[in-house]
């Protein structure tokens, strides 16, 4: 038993719904009690879908439990097949149905459904979560549909260069994009275009937008691109084992990773890799503004900015690479809620001399964030809220999806254009470079008020951090807690504003710091002269310096000693 | 008409969203699955809280394997939680579909924990499971669980039962006071430990039509149930207040003196919305159990034509007065087969459909205007003073459609 106040991932059957709803011609019969239909609104509200998810729920109630729930399952399957005439049927159960053991998959298998493929889903609701459920469903569906095409054991692997003999362009499948995934809609446009420019066609994009008939064409491609490992990992592995299809595993988020992706896909397909290797660097400069913007002088102020990163594994790992190598940030925290990909996240963290934070407890993430004292947070919508409470700017990089993460404009994360989007999204929450200089220059002028923080608003960073200890557990009592939160921005804004106020009005930190350190009056006075946006950092540095030196009192001299110590 | 099939409604857990706001010193702990946690967070906008006062004890495989372990685990989790949240005075253990199916006895658990906590925190339990409760019935079950703790007293009082927004409650208490009713109390109270008494002198005035079990339990304690339409719209609110004041023995003149200006002003506030809504055809899908009262208001005061009024279940006794005010021949459907109901909606092409969030955008995409019903349980809509706001919730989607031009 585990206490959960909020969860990054839903149950595994919601993952199955993501696969069914992403596709056309697939229907999902879900044995589930009344109330589980709430999941429909994730699609109709967050994704603004114009159709209900293709899901029929049995919505059983207590009175049904006395009778024959198996009969209810069969009736629901029959009705759904008759009404929706799907090209493939998924049958499964949610957590409660798992306990009553009606085995809807076996029931469906025993029914005459006119020969449509039926896939029975076994998604353990008490041990697995949403992304696992999506990956398992996609794998089971593809496997069931491709069974008749399985090559005999021992058959020769198809050559990834057969396109040459066949006198056509090489072609790949893009696997893994789904509804409720982060910017999948726009990523597949960007990556399809990018591949097309390099002479590579896309055969099947799945599950998003695919029909069962499209899945049957998967083996006709020369390779699979595992675009979202959380969803497509198992199916790509199976296609590699069973059909000998090579897998492109570089995820093209960021300049370096997009280059890696192009090099990997072209070398797998035995294309002219030398020419492409030479071209990608020039192409990055031509097609993306990120490299130049990052070198341009205004970006100097980005140097060493402390960033804290948390999200799904794919986006968190990509963000760490972009932040550290392509923007010159210092990554001070890296973590993920994707336990299935924890190993990859740990490896990425190790490269940055960090210990990865693998957890699905947002309060643990918030505490780690506060301790890391970042200047920018890259996280999920939950980290956006946590960062707001701490007064730290934040950009959202990962699911779970919020209506704000489905923008009207095309806004990919992948490829060259994705890198442009990322530059803007991450840099805009920060104070602009020139503005930061001006504030430093003019801070003694009387017009300059303490707490000035550009047009971006929010509580001053230092105040938020200092107040954390006092107000971290406080909750606003005035925020409008309505369903509108998940679905509209305005309710969020007002509620969050009140949350920010609650934190900002908390008592300032006392002169007595943690671990018995004292600030002398002249030390406090000197600290107050430091611009507020670096004051928090100066305070922390001075305190850690004092502790290291075994001092229990921090005066102005200690502050200058610490400054000298840390500037080395 | 009765229908059965797929029901597109929330389960009773959803009512935690407004109950926890009403009682800031209470914590609602769902004992259930990841689905329960996901449902409540999807319905409640949990992210705005530093730490919400509701959560889910998610059952794992080990808990399913042995109930003894599950009970121990629950005790441990509750101890940790209360240590972390010392301000909590009442803890509700909320049963869910999985906890009901595995027969985890939360009543016993509450008893055990009450013993351990020795009065520091009161532990109550009720079921909000989808197999037992539909959406707003969760509040009925929560209030029912609080009932045994209400002290006995035969002193005369008017007891308003059902969660109201705090400002609306203040306003109603003030208005009843002006009429001459001295003691007006509420269930649930604002502080979970300050439960109102109940006894022979208690007149129960239901603010919500979905509190059947609570009403019966209070009647069993000697309270008298006031029958009236519910306080939605000017007419409903007028009759509701009038019935309460009459039951408390007030003279008609004293009642009328307070009500007349309210009614006049309320009608003025509704009038501009009536212009938008009059003659428009309306379907209400089953959802919050407020459907009959809203249909009565939208027909009687806003001039809408009722095509179909759906309700998850029909308590004929509690809704007798509402049924009497609906026009003869109104199509009322109890229960749901969502696919067939949508077919009827498509065939009838109403001007407005009141429905849940899972259905709203799909219907809008088919060209049918909708109003999300969930807003009705979160917004202050009770009383004469709110009648204009209530009408506005329905006229806005229609006004908006007239406003938008893309050519």
């Amino acid at each position: 038993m585990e206490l959960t106040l909020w969860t990054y991932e839903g149950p595994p059957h919601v993952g199955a719904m993501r696969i069914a709803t992403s596709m056309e011609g697939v229907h999902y019969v879900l044995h589930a009690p009344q109330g589980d239909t709430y999941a429909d609104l994730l699609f109709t509200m967050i994704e603004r879908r114009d159709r209900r998810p293709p899901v029929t729920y049995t919505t059983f109630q207590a009175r049904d439990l006395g009778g024959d729930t198996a009969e209810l399952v069969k009736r629901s399957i029959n009705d759904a097949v008759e009404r929706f005439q799907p090209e493939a049927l998924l049958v499964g159960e949610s957590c409660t149905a798992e306990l009553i053991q009606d085995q809807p998959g076996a029931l469906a298998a025993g029914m005459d459904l006119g020969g449509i493929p039926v896939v029975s889903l076994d998604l353990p609701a008490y041990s697995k979560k949403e992304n696992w459920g999506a990956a398992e469903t996609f794998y089971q569906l593809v496997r069931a549909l491709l069974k008749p095409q399985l090559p005999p054991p021992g058959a020769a692997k198809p050559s990834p260069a057969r396109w040459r003999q066949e006198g056509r362009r090489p072609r790949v499948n893009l696997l893994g994009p789904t509804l409720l995934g982060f910017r999948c809609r726009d990523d597949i446009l960007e990556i399809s275009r990018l591949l097309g420019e390099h002479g590579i066609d896309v055969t099947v994009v799945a599950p998003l937008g695919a029909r069962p008939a499209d899945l049957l064409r998967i083996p006709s491609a020369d390779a699979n691109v595992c675009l979202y490992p959380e969803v497509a990992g198992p199916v790509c592995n199976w296609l590699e084992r069973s059909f000998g299809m090579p897998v492109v595993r570089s995820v093209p988020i960021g300049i370096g990773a997009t280059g890696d992706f192009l090099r990997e896909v072209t070398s797998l397909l035995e294309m002219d890799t030398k020419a492409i290797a030479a071209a990608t660097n020039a192409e990055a400069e031509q097609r993306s503004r990120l490299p130049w913007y990052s070198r341009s002088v205004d970006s100097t102020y980005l140097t060493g900015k402390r960033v804290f990163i948390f999200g799904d594994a794919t986006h968190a790992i990509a963000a760490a690479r972009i932040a550290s190598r392509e923007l010159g940030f210092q990554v001070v925290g890296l973590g993920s809620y994707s336990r299935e990909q924890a190993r990859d996240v740990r490896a990425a963290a190790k490269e940055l001399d960090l210990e990865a934070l693998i957890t699905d407890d947002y309060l643990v993430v918030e505490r780690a964030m506060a301790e890391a004292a970042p200047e920018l947070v890259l996280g999920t919508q939950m980290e956006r809220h946590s960062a707001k409470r701490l007064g730290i700017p934040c950009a959202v990089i990962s699911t779970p999806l919020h209506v704000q993460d489905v923008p009207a404009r095309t806004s990919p994360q992948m490829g060259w254009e994705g890198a442009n989007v990322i530059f803007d999204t991450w840099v805009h929450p920060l104070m602009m470079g020139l503005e930061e200089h001006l504030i430093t220059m003019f801070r003694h002028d009387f017009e300059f008020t303490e707490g000035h923080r550009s047009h971006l608003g929010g509580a001053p960073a230092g105040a938020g951090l200092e107040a954390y200890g006092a107000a971290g557990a406080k909750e606003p009592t005035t925020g409008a807690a309505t369903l509108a939160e998940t679905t509209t921005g305005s309710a969020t804004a007002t509620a969050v504003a009140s949350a920010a106020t609650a934190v900002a009005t908390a008592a300032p930190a006392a002169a007595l710091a943690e671990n018995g350190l004292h600030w002398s009056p002249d030390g406090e006075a000197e600290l107050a002269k430091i611009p507020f946006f670096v004051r928090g950092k100066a305070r922390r540095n001075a305190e850690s310096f004092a502790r290291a030196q075994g001092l229990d009192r921090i005066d102005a001299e200690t502050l200058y000693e610490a400054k000298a110590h840390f500037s080395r | 008409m009765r229908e059965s099939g797929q029901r597109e409604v929330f389960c009773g857990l959803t009512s935690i969203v407004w109950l926890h706001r009403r009682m800031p010193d209470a914590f609602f702990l769902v004992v259930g699955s990841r689905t329960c946690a996901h449902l409540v967070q999807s319905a409640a906008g949990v992210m705005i809280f530093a730490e919400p006062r509701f959560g889910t004890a998610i059952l794992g495989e080990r808990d399913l394997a042995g109930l003894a372990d599950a009970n121990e685990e629950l005790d441990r989790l509750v101890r940790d939680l209360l240590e972390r949240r010392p301000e909590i005075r009442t803890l509700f253990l909320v049963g869910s579909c999985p906890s009901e199916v595995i027969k985890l006895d939360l009543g016993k658990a509450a008893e055990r924990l009450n013993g351990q906590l020795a009065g520091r925190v009161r532990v109550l339990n009720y079921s909000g499971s989808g197999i037992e409760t539909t959406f707003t019935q969760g509040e009925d079950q929560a209030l029912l669980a609080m009932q045994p703790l209400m002290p006995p007293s035969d002193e005369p009082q008017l007891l308003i039962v059902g969660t109201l927004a705090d400002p609306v409650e203040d306003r109603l208490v003030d208005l009843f006071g002006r009429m001459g009713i001295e003691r007006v109390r509420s269930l649930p109270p604002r502080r979970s430990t300050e439960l109102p008494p109940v006894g022979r002198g208690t007149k129960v005035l239901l603010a919500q039509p979905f509190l059947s079990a609570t009403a019966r339990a209070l009647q069993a304690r000697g309270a008298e149930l006031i029958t009236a339409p519910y306080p939605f719209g000017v007419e409903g609110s007028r009759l509701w207040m009038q019935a309460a004041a009459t039951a408390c023995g007030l003279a008609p003149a004293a009642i009328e003196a307070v009500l007349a200006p309210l009614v006049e002003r309320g009608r003025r506030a509704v009038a501009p919305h009536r212009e938008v809504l009059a003659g428009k055809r309306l379907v209400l899908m089953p959802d919050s159990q407020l459907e009959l009262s809203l249909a009565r208001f939208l027909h009687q005061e806003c001039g809408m034509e009722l095509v179909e009024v759906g309700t998850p279940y029909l308590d004929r006794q509690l809704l007798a007065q509402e049924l009497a005010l609906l026009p003869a021949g109104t199509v009322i459907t109890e229960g749901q087969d969502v696919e067939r109901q949508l077919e009827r909606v498509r065939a009838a092409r109403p001007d407005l459909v009141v429905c849940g969030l899972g259905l709203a955008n799909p219907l809008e995409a088919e060209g049918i205007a909708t109003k999300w019903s969930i807003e009705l349980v979160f917004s202050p809509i009770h009383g004469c003073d709110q009648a204009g706001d209530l009408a506005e919730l329905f006229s806005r989607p229609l006004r908006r459609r007239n406003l938008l031009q893309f050519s």
Side-chain angles (χ1 to χ4, degrees):
Chain A
M1 209 176 285
E2 185 194 350
L3 177 65
T4 300
L5 302 173
W6 183 84
T7 158
Y8 289 93
E9 289 183 74
H13 73 261
V14 168
M17 282 183 71
R18 282 171 55 188
I19 303 299
T21 311
S22 296
M23 292 184 65
E24 305 281 334
V26 173
H27 200 85
Y28 183 21
V29 175
L30 183 63
H31 194 21
Q34 167 176 269
D36 282 7
T37 52
Y38 82 90
D40 283 359
L41 71 88
L42 303 172
F43 298 91
T44 60
M45 297 307 290
I46 298 175
E47 286 268 6
R48 300 179 211 252
R49 291 282 287 177
D50 59 357
R51 280 165 288 170
R52 292 165 58 217
V55 181
T56 296
Y57 304 79
T58 57
T59 57
F60 60 85
Q61 291 174 268
R63 60 168 177 267
D64 301 310
L65 290 176
D68 193 353
T69 45
E71 203 44 53
L72 176 63
V73 174
K74 288 206 256 183
R75 199 163 61 235
S76 302
I77 293 173
N78 260 329
D79 288 354
V81 169
E82 197 174 308
R83 180 178 292 273
F84 299 102
Q85 308 200 329
E87 294 152 38
L89 186 72
L90 303 173
V91 180
E93 53 201 355
S94 77
C95 48
T96 307
E98 189 180 322
L99 299 171
I100 57 177
Q101 298 183 334
D102 281 325
Q103 315 224 324
L107 291 173
M111 295 170 69
D112 175 16
L113 300 171
I116 56 163
V118 177
V119 181
S120 166
L121 296 175
D122 190 11
L123 309 174
Y126 297 92
S127 55
K128 301 292 187 188
K129 288 184 245 174
E130 179 179 334
N131 279 337
W132 186 91
E136 175 71 8
T137 303
F138 188 35
Y139 160 64
Q140 293 292 352
L141 178 61
V142 169
R143 201 177 73 145
L145 291 172
L146 290 184
K147 225 175 200 168
Q149 293 186 42
L150 268 178
K157 280 185 183 179
S159 159
R162 67 187 150 135
W163 55 274
R164 211 169 256 131
Q165 287 92 53
E166 291 172 15
R168 58 168 173 84
R169 281 157 56 111
R171 56 196 183 206
V172 297
N173 302 312
L174 302 185
L175 301 183
T178 57
L179 292 177
L180 300 181
F182 200 72
R183 306 287 166 84
C184 294
R185 178 196 73 187
D186 302 337
D187 284 345
I188 54 181
L189 290 177
E190 179 65 15
I191 294 305
S192 300
R193 193 173 65 180
L194 181 68
L195 289 168
E197 286 166 359
H198 286 271
I200 301 165
D201 290 333
V202 172
T203 308
V204 177
V205 176
L208 192 55
R211 307 192 79 89
D214 295 319
L215 301 187
L216 296 177
R217 296 189 293 115
I218 284 178
S220 71
D222 303 309
N224 290 315
V225 173
C226 185
L227 213 48
Y228 301 93
E230 276 84 352
V231 173
V235 81
C236 286
N237 294 341
W238 180 76
L239 289 166
E240 189 170 34
R241 273 199 318 274
S242 310
F243 285 82
M245 296 183 76
V247 183
V248 178
R249 297 197 187 265
S250 302
V251 178
I253 305 179
I255 296 293
T258 300
D260 287 352
F261 169 79
L262 283 173
R263 282 184 287 272
E264 188 184 351
V265 68
T266 51
S267 96
L268 265 182
L269 295 167
E270 297 176 23
M271 299 171 77
D272 185 356
T273 47
K274 241 189 222 153
I276 283 161
T280 45
N281 289 340
E283 187 177 324
E285 294 284 343
Q286 276 166 15
R287 296 289 313 281
S288 178
R289 294 186 185 89
L290 185 145
W292 166 240
Y293 274 31
S294 192
R295 282 197 305 270
S296 72
V297 290
D298 189 77
S299 295
T300 313
Y301 79 105
L302 299 177
T303 313
K305 283 253 187 237
R306 300 165 60 85
V307 291
F308 180 90
I309 300 170
F310 192 87
D312 70 5
T314 301
H315 290 87
I317 292 169
R321 177 172 176 178
I322 298 168
S324 60
R325 298 199 212 163
E326 296 170 18
L327 295 172
F329 290 151
Q330 186 196 350
V331 180
V332 293
L334 175 61
S336 174
Y337 58 81
S338 313
R339 280 186 197 279
E340 289 85 359
Q341 281 80 26
R343 201 171 0 145
D344 299 340
V345 182
R346 290 206 174 92
K350 206 169 169 210
E351 268 183 46
L352 297 165
D353 287 327
L354 294 167
E355 182 89 30
L357 176 66
I358 308 295
T359 180
D360 51 8
D361 183 342
Y362 77 94
L363 292 171
V364 170
V365 179
E366 183 170 328
R367 273 196 295 276
M369 184 191 296
E371 272 161 30
E375 292 156 282
L376 175 68
V377 170
L378 304 172
T380 72
Q381 289 286 343
M382 182 47 101
E383 282 67 52
R384 183 171 69 83
H385 284 270
S386 299
K388 211 156 198 170
R389 284 193 282 271
L390 298 173
I392 306 168
C394 177
V396 175
I397 60 161
S398 159
T399 53
L401 211 62
H402 183 281
V403 71
Q404 285 184 352
D405 300 323
V406 192
R409 68 184 182 280
T410 303
S411 187
Q413 298 289 289
M414 293 183 174
W416 306 132
E417 183 58 24
N420 292 338
V421 170
I422 285 173
F423 183 91
D424 289 348
T425 317
W426 297 8
V427 169
H428 286 180
L430 298 167
M431 202 185 305
M432 285 179 291
L434 193 56
E435 192 173 36
E436 190 170 312
H437 287 298
L438 291 174
I439 289 173
T440 314
M441 279 163 66
F442 297 122
R443 71 194 156 93
H444 296 300
D445 291 14
F446 68 90
E447 296 94 337
F448 182 87
T449 50
E450 187 81 343
H452 175 86
R453 205 166 162 267
S454 87
H455 60 292
L456 295 160
L465 283 171
E466 283 160 9
Y468 177 76
K474 210 174 155 184
E475 82 182 90
T477 47
T478 48
T482 72
L483 210 134
E485 152 64 15
T486 45
T487 53
T488 70
S490 60
T492 315
T494 36
V496 165
S498 62
T501 322
V503 171
T505 51
L512 180 67
E514 279 176 58
N515 303 345
L517 280 173
H518 285 270
W519 280 82
S520 72
D522 74 316
E524 284 282 5
E526 204 59 38
L527 186 68
K529 292 180 197 160
I530 296 170
F532 63 87
F533 46 84
V534 287
R535 198 178 300 147
K537 192 172 171 183
R539 178 187 283 278
R540 279 190 308 279
N541 282 350
E543 287 173 3
S544 75
F545 176 77
R547 271 194 297 275
Q549 299 291 313
L551 303 172
D552 58 0
R553 189 167 178 280
I554 302 171
D555 56 18
E557 286 309 310
T558 325
L559 204 57
Y560 281 106
E561 288 285 344
K563 181 170 155 50
H565 175 79
F566 284 101
S567 70
R568 279 180 307 178
Chain B
M1 181 164 78
R2 267 174 192 273
E3 217 170 30
S4 70
Q6 179 176 323
R7 292 164 73 100
E8 190 84 12
V9 288
F10 285 124
C11 64
L13 296 181
T14 322
S15 52
I16 290 172
V17 178
W18 61 90
L19 284 170
H20 91 279
R21 296 189 62 209
R22 173 66 183 179
M23 293 176 280
D25 60 347
F27 192 101
F28 290 80
L29 181 65
V30 178
V31 182
S33 64
R34 184 165 299 278
T35 313
C36 307
H38 200 232
L39 164 105
V40 177
Q41 82 183 39
S42 301
V46 175
M47 289 194 284
I48 60 171
F49 299 104
E51 238 187 276
R53 272 182 296 97
F54 48 86
T56 307
I58 295 186
L59 296 161
E61 275 173 335
R62 270 191 35 221
D63 304 304
L64 301 180
L67 283 180
D69 288 350
N71 281 316
E72 261 171 44
E73 278 285 281
L74 181 61
D75 292 3
R76 173 191 61 81
L77 195 142
V78 165
R79 273 196 306 275
D80 290 353
L81 174 70
L82 293 176
E83 209 163 283
R84 203 186 156 85
R85 305 298 298 269
E87 76 281 16
I88 297 304
R89 293 277 82 84
T90 304
L91 174 70
F92 288 91
L93 300 178
V94 189
S96 66
C97 299
S99 79
E100 304 264 322
V101 168
I102 64 168
K103 303 207 183 327
L104 185 60
D105 191 337
L106 294 182
K108 278 228 178 81
E111 221 172 87
R112 193 173 63 234
L113 286 162
N114 271 323
Q116 289 173 16
L117 294 164
R120 265 195 310 123
V121 178
R122 285 198 307 212
V123 184
L124 298 175
N125 80 289
Y126 72 92
S127 170
S129 81
I131 55 177
E132 303 260 323
T133 61
T134 300
F135 197 8
T136 49
Q137 269 178 310
E139 175 171 350
D140 191 24
Q141 294 301 312
L143 299 189
L144 186 65
M146 298 177 90
Q147 179 275 127
L149 297 178
M150 293 166 72
S153 163
D154 288 343
E155 70 165 336
Q157 63 165 345
L158 177 64
L159 183 63
I160 301 178
V161 179
T163 299
L164 292 171
D166 288 355
V168 173
E169 182 200 18
D170 289 341
R171 174 75 175 150
L172 289 171
V173 170
D174 176 57
L175 291 171
F176 281 128
R178 277 199 245 161
M179 288 178 183
I181 306 176
E182 278 173 28
R183 225 166 268 113
V184 184
R185 294 198 175 97
S186 299
L187 180 70
R190 292 184 196 192
R191 294 193 58 80
S192 66
T193 48
E194 289 167 9
L195 283 168
V198 63
R200 264 177 243 292
T202 302
K203 317 264 187 224
V204 169
L205 182 61
L206 295 182
Q208 305 280 17
F210 44 73
L211 301 171
S212 316
T214 306
R216 276 196 302 274
L218 294 172
Q219 280 174 292
R221 300 267 311 256
E224 181 196 327
L225 181 65
I226 299 167
T227 55
Y230 293 87
F232 305 106
V234 178
E235 292 308 310
S237 304
R238 181 177 68 84
L239 292 169
W240 184 78
M241 293 186 75
Q242 203 171 47
T246 308
C248 292
L250 298 188
I255 303 173
E256 195 51 29
V258 173
L259 281 181
L262 287 181
V263 166
E264 191 275 326
R265 198 168 53 204
R267 285 180 186 155
R268 256 190 291 138
V270 171
H273 304 293
R274 186 186 169 99
E275 271 175 41
V276 178
L277 295 169
K280 296 288 195 298
R281 300 166 67 248
L282 173 74
V283 169
L284 294 115
M285 303 289 271
D287 192 68
S288 62
Q289 199 63 16
L290 301 178
E291 291 81 14
L292 264 67
S293 306
L294 295 172
R296 180 259 305 152
F297 164 64
L298 290 167
H299 171 73
Q300 193 181 28
E301 294 175 52
C302 301
M304 294 189 85
E305 194 184 310
L306 304 176
V307 177
E308 180 176 337
V309 183
T311 183
Y313 58 93
L314 186 56
D315 184 328
R316 288 187 178 274
Q317 201 193 335
L318 287 193
L319 287 160
Q321 305 253 344
E322 296 286 15
L323 285 166
L325 289 171
L326 285 172
T330 300
V331 177
I332 297 174
T333 41
E334 184 183 1
Q336 189 174 32
D337 179 333
V338 70
E339 303 294 351
R340 287 170 54 193
Q341 197 163 33
L342 286 172
E343 276 172 9
R344 294 197 295 274
V345 167
R346 289 184 190 110
R349 303 285 313 172
D351 299 295
L352 187 67
V353 176
V354 180
C355 62
L357 289 173
L359 301 174
N361 267 336
L363 283 171
E364 292 278 355
E366 291 183 36
I368 297 170
T370 59
K371 167 74 218 116
W372 319 343
S373 48
I374 192 146
E375 207 168 341
L376 300 162
V377 292
F378 293 131
S379 311
I381 56 170
H382 294 76
C384 289
D385 300 307
Q386 267 62 244
D389 293 349
L390 180 59
E392 200 271 342
L393 288 178
F394 299 96
S395 68
R396 195 187 309 165
L398 299 179
R399 275 195 303 122
R400 180 162 182 80
R401 286 168 88 84
N402 287 334
L403 218 60
L404 300 181
Q405 282 180 23
F406 301 107
S407 54

